[in-house]
Amino acid sequence: QVQLVDSGGGLVQPGDSLRLSCVISGRSLSAYYMGWFRQAPGKERILVAACPWTGITSTGYADSVNDRFVMSRDFVKRGVYMKMNNLNIEEKAVYFCATEQGFTNSSSAWRNWGMGTQVTVSS
């Protein structure tokens, strides 16, 4: 089984940055994809960024965050991270890390989830 603990959310002003963290325990991640999702109040959960565990350079980003968000990971710590730069008010949401064997854009197909961490962007 795979267990994830995500953290790093907080209250920031527009234009500020945050770095989200996710620590994964359990079985080998060699065949897994790593993903970050977000869900704003009353909205569906959407994929923000994702990459193969073994291929961080292959990260794909949603158009709305491209060039502002950056994923990274640490093999030893079994951590996956997302640096979010120049946050705007519309990006207030609960952010979730997730893993799955195989890639899909649909959140319903991802089986392993963190509990989520709240990001509040407010002036």
Side-chain angles (χ1 to χ4, degrees), residues 12-110:
V12 297
Q13 294 181 316
D16 286 352
S17 299
L18 281 174
R19 184 173 182 264
L20 304 182
S21 298
C22 178
V23 178
I24 307 102
S25 62
R27 61 180 176 268
S28 173
L29 298 173
S30 62
Y32 279 73
Y33 281 76
M34 312 300 304
W36 283 99
F37 292 77
R38 68 184 177 197
Q39 187 167 24
K43 305 293 184 180
E44 64 181 339
R45 189 174 299 183
I46 62 171
L47 180 65
V48 176
C51 69
W53 172 251
T54 58
I56 193 69
T57 58
S58 298
T59 306
Y61 299 91
D63 289 342
S64 62
V65 308
N66 196 26
D67 298 325
R68 293 190 297 114
F69 289 15
V70 180
M71 282 189 68
S72 61
R73 56 97 178 85
D74 188 309
F75 282 124
V76 175
K77 296 179 180 179
R78 285 180 133 243
V80 61
Y81 314 95
M82 186 167 68
K83 179 68 181 300
M84 305 183 295
N85 297 308
N86 195 22
L87 288 161
N88 57 62
I89 292 175
E90 290 74 23
E91 290 169 318
K92 176 184 177 180
V94 178
Y95 285 71
F96 301 86
C97 64
T99 68
E100 182 56 69
Q101 293 183 344
F103 174 81
T104 176
N105 286 310
S106 177
S107 63
S108 64
W110 294 64

